[in-house]
Amino acid sequence: MENTTTVVDHVKSPAGSATNIISHCNITQSPNQNQSPTSQFPLVRESLRPITLRFEDLAYTIRSQSGDDHGSSSQTSNTTRTLLSGVSGVVRPGELLAMMGPSGSGKTTLLTALAGRLPGKLSGTITYSGQPFTNSIKRKTGFVTQDDVLYQHLTVIETLTYAALLRLPKSLSQQEKVKQAELIINELGLTKCRDSIVGGPLIRGVSGGERKRVSIGQEMLVNPSLLLLDEPTSGLDSTTALRLVATLKRLAQGGRSVVTTIHQPSSRLYWMFDKVVVLSDGCPIYSGHTGRVMEYFSSIGHVPGFNFMNPADFVLDLANDVSPTKNQDDHQGIRPDHHEDQESIKQFLISSYKKNLHPLVKDDIRQNARDTTRVIQGMTQSTQNCDQHKLQWTTSWWTQFKVLLKRGLRERRHESYSGLRIFQVMSVSILSGLLWWHSDLSHLQDQVGLLFFFSIFWGFYPLSNAIFTFPQDRPMLTREHSSGMYRLSSYYFARMAGDLPMELVLPTIFVSITYWMGGLKPSFVTFILTILIILFNVLVSQGLGLAIGALLMDLKQATTLSSVVMLVFLLAGGYYVQQIPPFISWLKYISFSHYCYRLLLEVQYSKNEVYECGIGVRCKVSDFPGIKNLGMGNLWWDVAALGIMLTGYRLIAYVALQMRKSR
């Protein structure tokens, strides 16, 4: 059954006038898709601008290190490995292209190159309707990775709604963006699970097929003209995979160019593709229409061993250097596994492609290219002024910050306010309060120890939690930022603000319990100052953890380094070692625990306060060895030092993220 839908877009010109662009898309409803016959895309968004993807003679090599011939790692040499070599093809609007090949054949590398996300130098040419890859093309391109990078605790509707609020232009109202997410849910058959959490490896959520459709839905929100998918059927059963490919076929028939990698499709899936590119070790052995595969390989002497053999199985056997021929030597129809035969098969298929198919593919690429260029030039001239004034981001910084903050709070509410974390802090606070129960100035050493415990515990605890932040967020940050969803700065500040509630609430509760149980100065002002100092210390410690995590982006390395740093700060804090040798005394000046400890002592004890240092003997607290050797009386210098660390650590973390983004 065929439906015709109308897509209306309100596009504002630089002068502020609104222009209504109406485009008609024919979407064929697949009988294999469990959706109503009236499912459609009545979307209020940018009009669908068809993109013809052409890639010609693509080649990509990387440098890798290898040991000597004896397997020794002491001697390594830089070698180059070819991942792509001479790959060409064309995908026009309405076509569904499948890239096939064995594992390691270069499918994902080719798809990443077509998405404009491949690092390093790529030779050859890739054009999008005759134009190079630009930010405008980037925003009209949807890229779905093999691994579903989704927030596990968000529901399906929440996931798509937040994506819509970030990706759709600010000319649309919030209600229209939410409606857009609802339409995507209906179109992709996600209505039954709209309120279910996405889930993940350790959290039960929606099924694998539904999770993959959620990933596709995030890209469909912007009505992409070019949709690229990496192994979308991986891990799915045959029926779910068929429904998913039927969805991709329907999206292509709506005027989009759809490219997907697939490992070993069934015959039903194979015949749903319009074109296929077969790779073997980065080299193409076929590129063209799916219906001509068997005919082509038969013409060069490779005839399938069975009359009704799945073409996908046949070409994958060839790509794996195995030729299933009619003159089989065993009942499986596979030629015996001889190294010389395999090398000759592979080289023969590559040379046959270069001789027979490569000229035809290049002719197909250049077919009507002159007319396409002329049309694109006319469109460019008519929209040149508008493109010059087009904002780089679809939404404002403030909108991005609010959406990311709200999404982060909803995603991490289970983690931040988990019962285990609260129990951990509460149990330590009560235990420490009991250990220091009603200590007074007659036990000055114990009180000083409690204050040092405050500085150390609320230095190590936030640090150990903060190092996980950016390494865990890295996959999501890479995917969303490469899609142009938001600025790095808006993400960074939203993440910082989202972590504040839990980072500040738990220390406040901890100090409120332990302070009074421990018998510290019964002054409300001193109590408030103690809390503020601990919170200041927490923010500095968290900043150091963020910097370590952003610099290393490896949890094992970050955990190891943070343990060493905290051990150094513990020893140089001024409690265990009071007379540090001059050649290493500089360590205390980089220890935030040292400054926090001194501040806690400054507000806890006055200059002229005395304690009982012996029977009938009273001494000044400032003369106590553990306090005197710290060099008290520099309160504002300690505050300034912590302030510099607070700013510096977070600035280092942001710069580290910025540098990784630009790589």
Side-chain angles (χ1 to χ4, degrees):
M1 184 175 182
E2 193 169 286
N3 295 319
T4 301
T5 64
T6 302
V7 180
V8 182
D9 180 29
H10 301 283
V11 181
K12 291 186 177 180
S13 64
S17 60
T19 304
N20 295 331
I21 301 177
I22 302 177
S23 62
H24 301 276
C25 303
N26 294 325
I27 300 179
T28 302
Q29 182 71 24
S30 172
N32 297 318
Q33 189 75 8
N34 292 338
Q35 296 176 355
S36 63
T38 60
S39 65
Q40 51 188 356
F41 278 114
L43 307 177
V44 184
R45 59 186 179 185
E46 292 187 11
S47 60
L48 183 65
R49 297 182 180 179
I51 291 180
T52 299
L53 174 63
R54 294 182 175 88
F55 50 100
E56 187 173 357
D57 296 330
L58 297 184
Y60 183 68
T61 59
I62 60 173
R63 290 187 176 274
S64 60
Q65 290 186 348
S66 61
D68 56 15
D69 295 338
H70 301 285
S72 174
S73 59
S74 59
Q75 295 181 355
T76 59
S77 59
N78 291 327
T79 60
T80 59
R81 179 187 174 192
T82 301
L83 300 183
L84 296 175
S85 178
V87 185
S88 303
V90 58
V91 188
R92 296 182 174 85
E95 293 181 341
L96 175 58
L97 169 70
M99 296 188 294
M100 299 172 54
S103 300
S105 60
K107 303 187 299 295
T108 300
T109 302
L110 176 57
L111 191 76
T112 307
L114 298 180
R117 305 186 183 192
L118 191 65
K121 185 178 181 181
L122 177 72
S123 61
T125 58
I126 304 177
T127 59
Y128 306 82
S129 294
Q131 301 296 309
F133 189 79
T134 61
N135 286 332
S136 178
I137 297 295
K138 179 180 180 179
R139 297 191 183 282
K140 299 303 297 178
T141 301
F143 184 71
V144 181
T145 59
Q146 180 177 357
D147 298 326
D148 300 319
V149 183
L150 301 167
Y151 284 115
Q152 301 180 8
H153 293 99
L154 296 183
T155 64
V156 172
I157 182 61
E158 288 175 343
T159 300
L160 294 178
T161 299
Y162 287 129
L165 295 175
L166 290 170
R167 303 193 69 173
L168 295 181
K170 57 185 177 183
S171 59
L172 300 180
S173 66
Q174 182 174 345
Q175 291 75 15
E176 290 173 326
K177 293 180 180 181
V178 174
K179 183 180 180 181
Q180 180 87 353
E182 293 282 1
L183 294 171
I184 292 294
I185 286 179
N186 294 333
E187 176 60 27
L188 296 180
L190 297 170
T191 306
K192 294 182 179 180
C193 63
R194 68 183 301 277
D195 296 319
S196 301
I197 63 171
V198 173
L202 302 178
I203 302 175
R204 186 174 182 180
V206 299
S207 65
E210 291 168 337
R211 190 178 296 112
K212 180 62 66 176
R213 277 180 281 168
V214 173
S215 298
I216 297 175
Q218 286 186 309
E219 302 302 322
M220 290 307 301
L221 285 168
V222 295
N223 193 22
S225 302
L226 175 63
L227 183 60
L228 307 169
L229 307 97
D230 188 15
E231 298 281 0
T233 61
S234 177
L236 304 181
D237 60 84
S238 59
T239 303
T240 304
L242 182 64
R243 291 177 176 176
L244 183 59
V245 175
T247 301
L248 299 180
K249 181 71 172 179
R250 186 172 64 257
L251 295 176
Q253 291 173 341
R256 299 171 183 83
S257 303
V258 182
V259 182
T260 179
T261 63
I262 193 165
H263 184 63
Q264 192 165 10
S266 64
S267 58
R268 292 192 300 174
L269 292 183
Y270 176 83
W271 290 113
M272 297 180 73
F273 301 124
D274 300 302
K275 291 182 178 179
V276 63
V277 173
V278 185
L279 299 177
S280 179
D281 291 338
C283 300
I285 61 175
Y286 181 82
S287 180
H289 293 279
T290 55
R292 301 174 186 172
V293 170
M294 309 299 281
E295 178 184 352
Y296 165 71
F297 286 109
S298 297
S299 67
I300 59 175
H302 290 277
V303 182
F306 303 97
N307 293 330
F308 301 102
M309 187 175 186
N310 180 6
D313 295 335
F314 178 68
V315 297
L316 284 174
D317 285 339
L318 294 176
N320 279 297
D321 297 333
V322 178
S323 177
T325 63
K326 280 188 175 181
N327 299 323
Q328 62 262 32
D329 293 331
D330 59 5
H331 56 275
Q332 295 295 332
I334 303 295
R335 180 178 295 182
D337 188 12
H338 296 302
H339 179 71
E340 294 181 358
D341 291 340
Q342 291 181 353
E343 288 296 325
S344 62
I345 291 173
K346 177 181 177 181
Q347 296 302 325
F348 173 74
L349 292 175
I350 294 175
S351 61
S352 297
Y353 170 82
K354 293 180 179 178
K355 179 181 178 181
N356 301 316
L357 280 183
H358 188 249
L360 299 178
V361 173
K362 299 194 76 170
D363 290 341
D364 188 26
I365 293 174
R366 296 185 175 121
Q367 183 181 6
N368 299 326
R370 189 172 304 172
D371 296 337
T372 302
T373 303
R374 188 180 301 115
V375 172
I376 294 299
Q377 289 176 350
M379 293 174 59
T380 303
Q381 292 175 358
S382 63
T383 60
Q384 184 176 7
N385 293 332
C386 180
D387 291 338
Q388 288 178 350
H389 296 280
K390 185 180 295 185
L391 294 175
Q392 182 182 2
W393 304 98
T394 55
T395 54
S396 65
W397 188 95
W398 181 244
T399 300
Q400 294 172 6
F401 172 81
K402 290 190 299 182
V403 174
L404 291 172
L405 176 59
K406 185 176 181 180
R407 186 182 69 173
L409 290 175
R410 291 193 66 85
E411 165 62 20
R412 297 193 299 275
R413 65 186 185 272
H414 305 282
E415 172 189 349
S416 299
Y417 296 96
S418 64
L420 182 62
R421 191 174 182 184
I422 296 175
F423 171 77
Q424 181 182 15
V425 173
M426 294 294 293
S427 59
V428 174
S429 66
I430 295 175
L431 178 61
S432 58
L434 293 175
L435 289 174
W436 275 279
W437 180 260
H438 287 181
S439 62
D440 50 27
L441 286 177
S442 62
H443 302 86
L444 183 59
Q445 180 65 40
D446 291 344
Q447 280 198 349
V448 170
L450 177 59
L451 295 176
F452 185 73
F453 173 72
F454 279 174
S455 66
I456 287 299
F457 181 80
W458 288 110
F460 180 78
Y461 189 78
L463 173 63
S464 60
N465 289 328
I467 59 175
F468 293 91
T469 299
F470 295 129
Q472 289 180 343
D473 279 3
R474 184 180 184 181
M476 182 67 70
L477 179 61
T478 301
R479 184 187 70 82
E480 294 184 336
H481 194 270
S482 61
S483 299
M485 290 181 64
Y486 47 76
R487 301 168 177 85
L488 179 62
S489 59
S490 61
Y491 157 79
Y492 185 77
F493 284 102
R495 179 72 197 203
M496 298 303 99
D499 289 339
L500 286 180
M502 201 58 188
E503 293 295 339
L504 300 182
V505 168
L506 284 180
T508 303
I509 297 176
F510 181 95
V511 175
S512 299
I513 295 175
T514 310
Y515 185 93
W516 301 109
M517 291 180 65
L520 296 175
K521 180 182 291 187
S523 169
F524 184 75
V525 175
T526 304
F527 168 69
I528 294 298
L529 290 176
T530 301
I531 290 180
L532 293 178
I533 293 171
I534 295 299
L535 296 182
F536 200 2
N537 186 63
V538 166
L539 295 178
V540 175
S541 173
Q542 184 192 39
L544 178 59
L546 294 174
I548 293 176
L551 287 170
L552 299 180
M553 280 297 181
D554 183 270
L555 289 180
K556 289 185 178 180
Q557 296 179 7
T559 303
T560 302
L561 180 59
S562 66
S563 300
V564 174
V565 169
M566 282 308 303
L567 179 61
V568 172
F569 288 178
L570 173 68
L571 297 177
Y575 180 77
Y576 293 110
V577 184
Q578 299 172 10
Q579 297 293 338
I580 303 178
F583 66 89
I584 202 174
S585 61
W586 56 270
L587 285 176
K588 65 182 180 181
Y589 297 111
I590 63 173
S591 170
F592 58 82
S593 298
H594 173 72
Y595 297 109
C596 177
Y597 178 43
R598 290 207 309 188
L599 284 173
L600 291 174
L601 293 175
E602 290 272 10
V603 301
Q604 187 68 210
Y605 306 111
S606 62
K607 186 176 182 180
N608 298 320
E609 193 168 0
V610 295
Y611 72 102
E612 187 175 348
C613 55
I615 300 177
V617 181
R618 293 185 175 273
C619 303
K620 286 187 177 182
V621 172
S622 58
D623 293 333
F624 183 74
I627 297 178
K628 183 178 181 179
N629 294 327
L630 286 176
M632 307 298 291
N634 300 310
L635 187 145
W636 292 111
W637 162 249
D638 296 337
V639 173
L642 289 178
I644 294 174
M645 291 181 181
L646 174 65
T647 305
Y649 289 150
R650 294 176 186 269
L651 182 61
I652 291 173
Y654 181 78
V655 172
L657 291 178
Q658 188 72 31
M659 293 177 62
R660 289 188 175 274
K661 182 204 71 171
S662 60
R663 290 179 184 176

